[in-house]
Amino acid sequence: MTRETPRRLVLSTLVSLNGVISEPLKWAGPYFGPGSAAASLAALRDCSAMLMGRRTYEIFSRQWPATPGEYAAHLNGLRKYVFSSTLRDPEWTNTEVLGDDVVETVAALKREAGGDLIVYGHGRFGRTLTAAGLVDELTMTVVPVIVPDGEPFSPQGDAGSSWELISAAPGADPGLVSLRYRPARG
């Protein structure tokens, strides 16, 4: 899984039709079937580590350690880095807590040999990485629901950026749309 070129940072997020990203467990689940499970596992296999902020860590560390199946086994075995100033002793296997200097630490991780790095979600942690120009690929799965309220993909006041479309296709299960972008050049 190592390569000689710098690692890529892939940010993968679920988004509703009206741009909401928060609490996808409440609204995206009915659209995820075997196709989405297989696509998610394939994406994880392309990565050698997962990066997350504390909120994502808290959600994932409650859900995945006791979950059976191939996806959970791979996720539990994957190297995980959590960026938090308050978490001290993570209980989830293969998890290391890193300090507050997100930008410098992630830039250093990208320079190391290894497979891609993956981030799930686009909360404060994901927006920090995007604003710093550290995201090499943005993968969005659009879920066909209108969520009445919640955190938008890009809250008012976020710095703008331009992206080039790599691919647009039906999602892995009916109703979903898969979009992949890379930062615009120039």
Side-chain angles (χ1 to χ4, degrees):
M1 181 167 304
T2 61
R3 56 171 76 130
E4 297 203 15
T5 58
R7 295 165 131 174
R8 293 177 332 127
L9 178 65
V10 178
L11 191 147
S12 181
T13 192
L14 301 172
V15 62
S16 71
L17 287 175
N18 60 326
V20 171
I21 58 163
S22 56
E23 301 188 58
L25 292 175
K26 291 183 178 179
W27 46 267
Y31 296 93
F32 275 70
S36 294
S40 293
L41 180 58
L44 274 184
R45 285 186 173 143
D46 285 342
C47 298
S48 62
M50 180 181 190
L51 310 179
M52 64 191 97
R54 172 134 189 187
R55 286 189 303 172
T56 300
Y57 170 80
E58 288 174 347
I59 293 166
F60 277 51
S61 68
R62 281 191 308 263
Q63 178 179 356
W64 293 109
T67 301
E70 191 175 4
Y71 179 85
H74 191 80
L75 184 60
N76 289 322
L78 190 65
R79 186 83 190 130
K80 293 170 282 292
Y81 296 105
V82 179
F83 290 83
S84 173
S85 61
T86 56
L87 182 64
R88 295 288 177 242
D89 189 24
E91 296 179 12
W92 195 9
T93 306
N94 297 321
T95 301
E96 181 179 348
V97 178
L98 302 175
D100 286 332
D101 193 352
V102 171
V103 173
E104 184 54 42
T105 304
V106 172
L109 287 170
K110 286 182 65 174
R111 290 189 295 268
E112 293 177 1
D116 289 344
L117 304 168
I118 191 162
V119 175
Y120 284 146
H122 192 66
R124 191 173 80 195
F125 179 66
R127 286 192 299 274
T128 297
L129 298 173
T130 303
L134 293 169
V135 176
D136 299 295
E137 182 176 312
L138 172 60
T139 302
M140 301 174 79
T141 299
V142 181
V143 181
V145 295
I146 302 292
V147 179
D149 55 19
E151 184 178 350
F153 178 81
S154 183
Q156 192 171 12
D158 267 7
S161 59
S162 295
W163 297 80
E164 294 177 357
L165 183 66
I166 299 170
S167 66
D173 284 306
L176 301 175
V177 175
S178 177
L179 302 169
R180 291 177 49 225
Y181 294 92
R182 67 177 162 235
R185 297 182 182 116

